[in-house]
Amino acid sequence: RGSSALGHIGSIERCEKLLRQMPALDAPVRHKRSWSIEDAMDQHASLARQRDIIVDIGEKRIKVRRTALAFAEMSVKEVMNSVGTEQSRAALSPADSSQLQEAVRQAAHHIRQTKKMLELEEALLENRLKVADHESNKARQELALLKQTISSTVLTSNPNDVNIRLPQPDREIYYVTNCKVGGHGERFAEYFLERPNWRVHPCQHWFSDNKS
């Protein structure tokens, strides 16, 4: 029976080795501001795929953790059966008694450790999914707002159009975009967006030179 319990401990160690070879549950990629509809769509799709990847990795790791816990429980059961079937523990030699006590100690340690690691793995997966869902929702809301901005605003790029109506001083919402032509445009756009009544207007590729 002692050799059987040791075999279960060896199985637990193999589970730990397998976990070290598996992908870790890394922190999810965070949402970043998008300046165009295309970028927003790509980011939203990427963050949605990220959640699926986290679920896949987390479920596989938890499955291995549960397997390790099952081996630890079998190890404890084997050791306790060994203790319970001894006709007289007083008849054990000091060496056998010491070996039995060590087996009980190791079995108890492994079941506490594997149970704790399983709980931590489950909590980590829950946390990662919570963050991933939050970031994905931010990307979804951003995409919806950019689409709404396009449908609710009409812009003209003809500087000779004398009928262009200039923004009224009392207007509630102002728009800014990053034209992505270098310089400090993005920085100043971010400054404007710190104000509560400024919104992002999706940019479009309108300028080309030898560098772009």
Side-chain angles (χ1 to χ4, degrees):
R1 293 183 183 275
S3 62
S4 179
L6 290 175
H8 295 321
I9 293 175
S11 298
I12 295 171
E13 292 173 348
R14 286 191 291 273
C15 287
E16 292 294 332
K17 182 179 179 180
L18 176 60
L19 283 164
R20 289 193 293 270
Q21 297 172 349
M22 296 174 67
L25 274 174
D26 295 327
V29 176
R30 299 282 182 165
H31 166 268
K32 294 177 62 177
R33 189 190 305 281
S34 298
W35 295 102
S36 70
I37 292 291
E38 292 78 9
D39 290 346
M41 292 177 64
D42 289 344
Q43 179 169 222
H44 179 255
S46 176
L47 292 178
R49 287 194 301 271
Q50 174 179 245
R51 188 188 195 281
D52 295 336
I53 293 172
I54 291 174
V55 169
D56 182 62
I57 293 175
E59 288 181 347
K60 289 178 179 177
R61 292 184 63 87
I62 287 175
K63 184 177 181 180
V64 176
R65 292 288 185 194
R66 287 174 177 166
T67 301
L69 178 59
F71 281 126
E73 291 171 343
M74 286 189 286
S75 177
V76 170
K77 185 176 180 181
E78 290 285 349
V79 172
M80 297 309 296
N81 286 341
S82 178
V83 172
T85 56
E86 293 290 342
Q87 293 182 357
S88 175
R89 285 190 287 273
L92 292 174
S93 67
D96 289 339
S97 178
S98 177
Q99 185 178 8
L100 189 60
Q101 291 175 7
E102 178 64 17
V104 171
R105 187 193 67 79
Q106 287 190 15
H109 167 75
H110 280 97
I111 197 168
R112 287 195 303 269
Q113 187 73 9
T114 53
K115 185 176 292 186
K116 179 181 179 181
M117 295 307 296
L118 173 59
E119 292 172 353
L120 290 174
E121 199 83 55
E122 290 174 336
L124 180 61
L125 176 59
E126 182 180 358
N127 173 266
R128 296 296 194 237
L129 288 176
K130 183 177 180 181
V131 174
D133 287 339
H134 177 69
E135 299 303 314
S136 181
N137 284 335
K138 287 170 66 175
R140 178 181 55 79
Q141 293 170 4
E142 178 187 60
L143 179 58
L145 185 59
L146 289 176
K147 290 181 176 179
Q148 180 183 356
T149 298
I150 288 181
S151 63
S152 62
T153 59
V154 178
L155 301 180
T156 177
S157 60
N158 182 4
N160 298 318
D161 189 347
V162 295
N163 295 319
I164 295 177
R165 295 185 59 188
L166 297 177
Q168 300 300 315
D170 59 346
R171 65 185 299 180
E172 296 181 358
I173 301 298
Y174 293 84
Y175 295 96
V176 64
T177 193
N178 172 22
C179 296
K180 298 184 178 181
V181 293
H184 299 287
E186 182 173 354
R187 177 184 297 179
F188 286 112
E190 292 286 357
Y191 291 155
F192 280 121
L193 291 170
E194 292 178 1
R195 303 175 182 180
N197 60 332
W198 281 76
R199 305 287 185 271
V200 174
H201 193 285
C203 71
Q204 294 181 348
H205 189 74
W206 62 274
F207 174 81
S208 296
D209 59 14
N210 295 331
K211 297 181 181 180
S212 62

